[in-house]
Amino acid sequence: SAVHHFLNPRSIMRPIFVLIATALLPLIAHTYTPSISSRRTFIERARGVLVGSASLAILPEASRAENGYSTAILAEPSEDFKKSEAQRASFRAAQLKLKAEFTSSLSHLTSSPPTSSSAVQDLEKLKSLVINDGGLPEGIKWDDLKKTIRKVKRDGDGKYWTTEVELAYQALNREIAFQQNPNKDKEMGNPMS
């Protein structure tokens, strides 16, 4: 509305900036007069600055009007916004549930005294969660997951980290890489599995 536009600080500051620049230009030009040719150069440059600052003040307003932009502030959120917020909330809740399940499986791998078969089961459970979720849950980074599993591998090397466990770990890594690659056709499944 016209009232909001008039009270908008940006629309107030632009004309003030142009007025100040216009008022200071003759003052600056008057104080700088060592020679006629440099004064002409200075005035030409100052004119360019003035034209540039005027265009900065005028052009954004014209482009907003051209695109139908208005500064109207809604008293209530629109129905589309409410629907979008509901979708975001449901997505966040689903991601928190997935992250909790994923974290639970990962903590079982890292905290319980593992055996070769339990480590394979935990890694396969993580792989199935990655397949079902279409990648890692929000907030879990692949690098952090690798570091955590490599710590378990280092602790269990020669004890319970056998070839079967290593194969399960490599299968998990391949599945994460496949699910997080945007150039793959996910409906056909991972050809490396």
Side-chain angles (χ1 to χ4, degrees):
S1 72
V3 174
H4 290 294
H5 179 70
F6 178 72
L7 297 177
N8 185 357
R10 288 183 179 164
S11 63
I12 293 171
M13 292 305 292
R14 282 192 189 109
I16 290 173
F17 174 72
V18 171
L19 287 174
I20 291 172
T22 307
L24 289 178
L25 186 63
L27 189 73
I28 294 170
H30 179 69
T31 59
Y32 183 75
T33 58
S35 70
I36 294 177
S37 64
S38 63
R39 184 173 181 200
R40 284 186 187 146
T41 305
F42 175 77
I43 290 175
E44 288 173 6
R45 287 181 184 163
R47 188 180 335 142
V49 169
L50 181 62
V51 169
S53 62
S55 66
L56 287 176
I58 296 169
L59 289 178
E61 296 298 324
S63 68
R64 286 189 190 147
E66 214 174 77
N67 295 329
Y69 177 80
S70 68
T71 58
I73 299 173
L74 299 175
E76 292 292 323
S78 67
E79 290 301 318
D80 290 337
F81 179 78
K82 290 177 184 176
K83 186 168 53 169
S84 175
E85 282 295 310
Q87 288 174 342
R88 276 196 229 40
S90 67
F91 176 77
R92 276 188 233 118
Q95 285 298 310
L96 286 174
K97 182 181 171 194
L98 295 173
K99 184 177 180 180
E101 189 176 358
F102 196 89
T103 306
S104 168
S105 297
L106 184 60
S107 66
H108 184 266
L109 174 69
T110 58
S111 63
S112 65
T115 62
S116 181
S117 62
S118 70
V120 169
Q121 287 175 348
D122 290 338
L123 290 167
E124 287 178 353
K125 169 98 181 192
L126 291 172
K127 179 183 169 188
S128 69
L129 289 172
V130 167
I131 291 170
N132 292 339
D133 302 340
L136 292 172
E138 290 286 318
I140 295 182
K141 295 180 182 167
W142 192 10
D143 288 339
D144 295 339
L145 179 65
K146 284 181 188 178
K147 289 175 187 175
T148 303
I149 295 176
R150 284 179 183 157
K151 183 179 183 295
V152 172
K153 178 181 178 178
R154 185 182 66 236
D155 295 342
D157 203 19
K159 300 174 192 166
Y160 58 85
W161 198 272
T162 61
T163 303
E164 291 81 23
V165 180
E166 181 65 24
L167 290 174
Y169 172 59
Q170 294 301 326
L172 172 65
N173 275 331
R174 280 192 307 273
E175 192 59 46
I176 293 171
F178 175 77
Q179 293 295 334
Q180 290 188 339
N181 187 344
N183 299 324
K184 301 289 183 173
D185 186 9
K186 307 265 188 310
E187 292 180 14
M188 295 186 62
N190 189 350
M192 301 299 286
S193 291

